[in-house]
């Protein structure tokens, strides 16, 4: 590994370890479920969580470096059991720099029902540009989860997919953007659920959703600092 690549991997080990703490902080994970990965720019590599390690014990030095076929390049532990899905997304979607998976309660409840989340909120229009879609049922292990994520999110504005009977996968330009999408997806899923229990959520006009999405993705935030997802 060249010195430049080594420095980049060191930076991403720290970032990915720290971002796992955000999953805990936002109450998106139970026990050791959930994982974050980051693509190593300029190399066919990614940094991902080790399998079955407590969130309290995740550190930069026990993150795993894998190639984009999921084979371990650096690390003593096994990588996350969802590594194949992350690797498939990086191979198929070159614009993606970060992937997150959680079973966050409200979003996963929608996945259990096999229902996409319709856009009834300006915050959802901002972040997701419309509905948050449902992806197919897929068993863990091979490429089926990755294929389902890519098939659902390719050409879709949403950076989040609710994989049926399973949970949430999000993508972003980097790992932080993918974590933000996971946090916002759970927030939207919770409010959408509450709205349904209160009554019948009011539909939004397509042109209003488009206008909100465009403003948030292109104008919102501090000049020169992108806060939008992905
Ligand atoms: Zn899962």
């Amino acid at each position: 590994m060249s010195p430049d690549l080594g420095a980049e991997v060191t930076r991403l080990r720290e970032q990915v370890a720290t971002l796992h703490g955000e999953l805990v902080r936002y109450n998106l994970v139970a026990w050791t479920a959930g994982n974050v990965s980051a693509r190593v720019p300029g190399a066919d590599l990614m940094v991902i969580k080790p399998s079955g390690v407590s969130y309290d014990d995740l550190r930069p030095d026990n993150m795993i470096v894998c190639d984009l076929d999921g084979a371990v390049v650096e690390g003593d532990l096994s990588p996350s059991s969802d590594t194949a899905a992350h690797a498939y997304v990086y191979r198929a979607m070159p614009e993606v720099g970060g992937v997150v998976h959680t079973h966050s309660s409200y979003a996963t409840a929608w996945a259990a029902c096999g229902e996409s989340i319709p856009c009834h909120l300006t915050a959802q229009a901002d972040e997701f540009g419309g509905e948050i879609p449902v992806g197919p049922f897929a068993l863990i292990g091979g490429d089926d989860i990755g294929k389902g994520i890519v098939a659902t999110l390719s050409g879709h504005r949403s950076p989040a997919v609710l994989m049926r009977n399973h949970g949430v996968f999000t993508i972003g330009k980097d790992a932080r953007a993918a974590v933000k999408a996971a946090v916002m997806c759970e927030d939207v899923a919770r409010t959408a659920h509450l709205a349904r229990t209160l009554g019948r959520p009011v539909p939004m006009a397509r042109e209003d959703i488009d206008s909100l999405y465009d403003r948030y993705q292109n104008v919102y935030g501090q000049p020169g600092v992108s806060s939008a997802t992905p």
Side-chain angles (χ1 to χ4, degrees):
M1 206 177 274
S2 71
D4 283 356
L5 186 57
E8 189 66 4
V9 167
T10 299
R11 181 184 74 80
L12 290 170
R13 281 175 173 279
E14 288 169 8
Q15 184 189 56
V16 171
T18 302
L19 285 169
H20 280 94
E22 299 292 289
L23 303 187
V24 176
R25 185 151 78 102
Y26 287 97
N27 200 24
L28 304 185
V29 291
W31 200 239
T32 64
N35 38 71
V36 179
S37 72
R39 183 199 293 273
V40 181
D44 287 336
L45 297 172
M46 62 178 183
V47 176
I48 192 165
K49 173 174 170 280
S51 179
V53 175
S54 162
Y55 278 87
D56 289 342
D57 296 329
L58 294 178
R59 299 181 313 270
D61 62 281
N62 61 20
M63 294 296 113
I64 310 296
V65 181
C66 291
D67 67 22
L68 297 189
D69 291 313
V72 175
V73 173
E74 275 183 10
D76 299 326
L77 303 167
S78 302
S80 161
S81 53
D82 295 301
T83 297
H86 291 245
Y88 188 95
V89 172
Y90 291 126
R91 293 201 304 275
M93 303 178 89
E95 71 279 17
V96 170
V99 177
V100 171
H101 173 50
T102 81
H103 302 157
S104 65
S105 302
Y106 284 90
T108 300
W110 287 84
C113 294
E115 238 188 292
S116 58
I117 305 176
C119 189
H120 294 133
L121 296 163
T122 58
Q124 184 173 345
D126 288 346
E127 294 284 348
F128 299 94
E131 64 157 20
I132 300 177
V134 164
F137 176 77
L139 290 174
I140 194 166
D143 281 341
D144 287 354
I145 292 178
K147 282 179 185 166
I149 298 165
V150 170
T152 310
L153 294 184
S154 293
H156 204 293
R157 285 174 175 173
S158 173
V161 52
L162 312 171
M163 291 297 284
R164 188 163 63 79
N165 303 106
H166 184 172
V168 182
F169 281 84
T170 63
I171 56 174
K173 68 181 188 333
D174 54 25
R176 185 174 179 276
V179 170
K180 182 190 177 195
V183 171
M184 302 312 283
C185 178
E186 178 65 0
D187 187 54
V188 161
R190 181 171 51 231
T191 310
H193 166 75
L194 292 171
R196 280 243 182 130
T197 64
L198 278 175
R200 200 178 294 169
V202 180
M204 295 173 68
R206 185 74 241 176
E207 57 266 33
D208 291 336
I209 293 172
D210 290 347
S211 164
L212 286 160
Y213 181 74
D214 180 64
R215 173 192 153 276
Y216 187 78
Q217 299 296 323
N218 299 311
V219 182
Y220 176 80
Q222 302 296 324
V225 179
S226 171
S227 57
T229 309

